[in-house]
Amino acid sequence: ASLSTYDSVMWGCSFRLLGELAQARADIIKARRYYREALKAFRTAGDKLAMAEVAALLAALKPHMTDRG
């Protein structure tokens, strides 16, 4: 069964929060992974504003990323 829009938004918010927590702990690899999952969920929900916000968070990680990230 597919997720409802509400479910997708809730998953997106959850992954975004996990990304923010990982970023606060300087775990850039996990932060990127969680932000990407958040983007997928928000895309499924059609939430363009949330997608833009998470894309900005991902872009802010770039200066901190290494070849491994």
Side-chain angles (χ1 to χ4, degrees), residues 3 18 20 30-31 35-36 39 49 67:
L3 294 175
L18 288 169
E20 290 172 345
K30 280 187 181 178
Y35 287 150
R36 286 180 172 173
L39 268 178
L49 177 59
D67 291 336

Side-chain angles (χ1 to χ4, degrees), residues 20-55:
E20 290 172 345
L21 290 171
Q23 186 175 358
R25 299 168 110 194
D27 191 339
I28 303 306
I29 293 170
K30 280 187 181 178
R32 185 176 73 167
R33 185 179 319 136
Y34 289 133
Y35 287 150
R36 286 180 172 173
E37 289 298 323
L39 268 178
K40 284 189 222 177
F42 288 134
R43 188 174 299 119
T44 298
D47 190 333
K48 292 181 181 179
L49 177 59
M51 288 170 57
E53 291 173 346
V54 173

Side-chain angles (χ1 to χ4, degrees), residues 4 41 62:
S4 71
K62 291 202 185 264

